[in-house]
Amino acid sequence: MSSNMNECEIPQLYRHHVFACHTERPPDHPHGSCGTAGGGPLWERLGKAIETRGLTDVGFTATSCLGFCSSGPLMVVYPDGVWYRPRTPEDIDEIVDSHLTHGHRVDRLVIVLTRS
């Protein structure tokens, strides 16, 4: 193996890898959380949709806080680095059908986040 990382070929396990925040704080917590913003049922639907459609080249990982609590529920799709804020089961279906299946970003659900 070469000592230069630019020369090393690293195989990709997934075409897309989705990370979804599963943090759940109390409803009155000042930061909020993706769980209290309704993430749980959406992520359950997402996992089932990936499995049902046989998308074996799409990884799905439950994470803790992604760092933008008041903006949730949040998920990010890599390697594209696209952040989504789905609100309904239909939003999840659209992300799966458009982005995860066909590689087309769903612009109406994209959220642009900034660090303060």
Side-chain angles (χ1 to χ4, degrees):
M1 184 193 290
S2 170
S3 61
N4 182 345
M5 287 193 53
N6 291 332
E7 295 176 17
C8 180
E9 291 292 324
I10 299 174
Q12 297 300 306
L13 294 176
Y14 301 113
R15 184 172 47 87
H16 296 293
H17 196 152
V18 179
F19 295 87
C21 176
H22 279 67
T23 297
E24 182 139 6
R25 294 189 180 99
D28 60 345
H29 193 280
H31 294 293
S33 70
C34 291
T36 54
L42 297 175
W43 309 150
E44 186 175 328
R45 185 178 187 100
L46 177 60
K48 287 180 180 175
I50 290 169
E51 185 177 339
T52 300
R53 289 170 174 83
L55 300 177
T56 58
D57 58 352
V58 174
F60 178 48
T61 301
T63 71
S64 59
C65 184
L66 293 170
F68 301 95
C69 308
S70 63
S71 298
L74 294 175
M75 59 183 275
V76 59
V77 179
Y78 286 107
D80 309 306
V82 175
W83 290 74
Y84 287 113
R85 180 174 47 192
R87 297 291 191 183
T88 67
E90 293 76 22
D91 291 346
I92 292 296
D93 295 343
E94 187 174 357
I95 291 167
V96 171
D97 293 338
S98 294
H99 194 147
L100 303 182
T101 302
H102 296 105
H104 302 294
R105 186 179 63 218
V106 183
D107 288 339
R108 71 177 191 82
L109 298 173
V110 169
I111 182 167
V112 177
L113 301 163
T114 58
R115 292 182 174 195
S116 46

